[in-house]
Amino acid sequence: MSNGLLRRLAACLAMAASVLAAAPAGAVTSPILVVEVDSGKVIYGQAATDPWFPASITKLMTTYVALDLVRQGRLSLDSLITISAAAAAEPPSKMGFRPGTKLTLDNALKIIMVKSANDVAWAIGENLGGSIEGFAQMMNETAQRIGMRESRWTNPNGLPDARQWTTARDMAILGRALIRDFPESRALFSISAIQFGRSVMANHNGLLGRYAGADGMKTGFICSGGFNVVASATRNGRRIITVVMGQPSARERDLKAFDLFDYGFSQSAGWTAQTLDALPTSNLGEPPDLRPYICDKRKALPVDEGQGAITASAGAAGASADNANAQLMAAAAPPSAALAFATMNSAALRNRALPPRAPLQPILVWIGRDPAEGAIALNEQEEAEKAEKAAKLAEARKAKLEAIAAKREAAQAARQAKGPAAAPAKAAKPEAKKALARGKGGVPATASAFAPAESTPVMEGAPKLKVDTVRKPAAKAAVKPQAKPEAKAKPAAKASSAKPATAGKSTRSASKTQADD
């Protein structure tokens, strides 16, 4: 085995060990449950009553409370929900509505089921419960009434809270209650996309439009809980709910739900099958924290984006993720269940992909009471956003100009602080340019042979040179004055024919000697 493979294996084991250490009791098993809707009988399950962080499948509980209030006549689907500043401040996924925006409860429910908008879910809780705490109390009371024994709710959108958890069993009970108690709202959970203004947003549920018969319900993801889904599908009049939790990616979550549906529709829930109510209580006292495994700081943060998540390369997870996930799924199904091998072995999913998604059929949503009012309000918001953007640009431009002006003033102050000593040096530059323009070349400072006459020592008795004249080398200046008298003395030499030729040579030698002296 190569060193690189050994290192990867050691890293995988260390990662899996950190996840296992987070569990209070032994190995962590990802909850999985397949239930027949009509009878409530369990077709397959593992860790179905273990506590788990729900993430955005919380919004199914929020929807049940809202629809229950409508059924009681305490409000209607046309009731307006107002986005508060606190709701607008919730982190993504969100619609980004400005504080004060109003929309109907019907549109708000469609948005949280498709876009999983945390700001809109928060606004539903505030408006229906009077406060988030008040709505959480309504969620808990409703959960107990419909038989959800292990769930605890503190907020309506599922954002991380260590006090909020549920179980696969409770979510299957909730899914059955939504289908049973609100048959007129079943279409709410199968919307493939919504259109708001010019934007079209696809449902995060990657099974819709891919798995034959899939008709709901909701996905969710946070680092501590992994990728979760409560999904429903119908074939030949038989409806099944599948719950998958704690998966390392949206792709694996949806592929495993795909296999679970295939298995569920191939099995019949016999009279000996357990019901949801009969499932044994878990020994875990709190949910395991999957953050060290799901959200590795060395990799990009996973996202639950439905359509994009399915088409991602299966090899992106790598062998280390497969090995670590095998550790997470330590408690496998009994050998008699063919399902165990299809859903527990991540390596088997590496080269698999679901079919392409069917064309989206967006449902229009709007703000305000009706589409016309919504169009006006949307235009006003767009204009306000443009004005706000222009104001920010103008402010940034003004700040930039002020910074430039301040820099200039600082430079001017620095020049003034140096005093008038720097002024002559600057004034000399224009004078030099004017001199060059008049044709007067500059005098090199290091060329002493071309120094001005005034700076050159002059022998006593020598004629005074003009200021701009240049003195010639000393040797040449001494020869020329002696050469002229010699030339004048030649006629005398010719007249004296008695002197021999050597006399001329001695005269020249004497002249040369005088010149050298």
Side-chain angles (χ1 to χ4, degrees), residues 89 93 116 135 224 242 294 324 369 371 382 412 427 430 443:
S93 176
S116 195
F135 190 77
S224 296
T242 293
I294 300 295
R369 295 182 181 277
E382 289 178 351
Q412 185 176 2
V443 179

Side-chain angles (χ1 to χ4, degrees), residues 140-156:
N140 287 309
E141 291 173 354
T142 302
Q144 289 294 319
R145 180 168 53 83
I146 64 176
M148 300 171 69
R149 296 193 302 260
E150 295 95 10
S151 297
R152 304 180 182 182
W153 306 105
T154 59
N155 67 59

Side-chain angles (χ1 to χ4, degrees), residues 193-516:
I194 57 173
Q195 180 174 352
F196 177 73
R198 292 183 291 272
S199 299
V200 174
M201 291 156 271
N203 196 313
H204 289 188
N205 187 346
L207 297 175
L208 291 175
R210 283 194 174 91
Y211 185 83
D215 50 19
M217 291 189 145
K218 186 73 186 73
T219 65
F221 163 72
I222 59 173
C223 292
S224 296
F227 288 85
N228 307 331
V229 65
V230 177
S232 64
T234 305
R235 284 187 182 177
N236 300 322
R238 186 184 182 207
R239 195 165 198 168
I240 288 176
I241 287 178
T242 293
V243 182
V244 179
M245 291 180 165
Q247 298 305 301
S249 67
R251 178 181 174 278
E252 289 197 35
R253 173 195 66 196
D254 295 337
L255 284 171
K256 288 176 182 177
F258 190 102
D259 288 340
L260 287 163
F261 275 128
D262 279 349
Y263 178 80
F265 285 119
S266 69
Q267 304 294 315
S268 61
W271 63 274
T272 59
Q274 282 183 312
T275 62
L276 288 173
D277 293 334
L279 288 174
T281 304
S282 172
N283 294 324
L284 295 183
E286 60 183 10
D289 188 353
L290 300 188
R291 177 177 290 274
Y293 167 59
I294 300 295
C295 297
D296 187 349
K297 293 182 179 180
R298 296 168 296 180
K299 298 185 295 185
L301 183 69
V303 293
D304 186 6
E305 290 297 341
Q307 190 169 3
I310 290 295
T311 58
S313 171
S320 61
D322 289 329
N323 292 335
N325 193 50
Q327 295 291 329
L328 275 177
M329 312 296 286
S336 59
L339 158 69
F341 301 100
T343 55
M344 301 307 139
N345 188 0
S346 293
L349 304 178
R350 184 177 301 154
N351 297 319
R352 290 184 54 200
L354 291 178
R357 195 167 193 169
L360 300 176
Q361 298 178 345
I363 300 296
L364 185 65
V365 295
W366 58 87
I367 55 177
R369 295 182 181 277
D370 52 56
E373 182 179 333
I376 295 173
L378 186 60
N379 289 334
E380 291 177 353
Q381 284 195 6
E382 289 178 351
E383 292 298 327
E385 289 174 359
K386 288 180 182 179
E388 185 177 348
K389 185 176 180 181
K392 288 182 178 179
L393 289 174
E395 186 177 352
R397 191 179 296 110
K398 181 181 178 182
K400 186 176 180 180
L401 293 175
E402 289 177 352
I404 293 173
K407 188 175 181 180
R408 288 177 179 173
E409 291 177 0
Q412 185 176 2
R415 288 194 298 269
Q416 292 176 354
K418 291 180 180 179
K426 288 188 175 182
K429 291 183 179 180
E431 291 296 330
K433 290 182 180 179
K434 291 179 181 179
L436 288 173
R438 292 196 300 265
K440 297 180 180 180
V443 179
T446 57
S448 59
F450 297 94
E454 287 185 348
S455 62
T456 305
V458 180
M459 295 180 62
E460 184 178 355
K464 188 175 182 181
L465 297 176
K466 294 182 180 180
V467 173
D468 292 335
T469 59
V470 178
R471 183 179 178 184
K472 295 181 180 180
K476 293 182 180 180
V479 172
K480 287 185 179 180
Q482 295 298 331
K484 289 182 180 180
E486 284 295 324
K488 291 181 181 180
K490 283 183 180 180
K494 291 180 180 180
S496 178
S497 59
K499 291 184 179 180
T502 56
K505 291 181 179 181
S506 50
T507 305
R508 284 192 298 273
S509 299
S511 300
K512 186 176 184 301
T513 303
Q514 289 180 359
D516 291 340

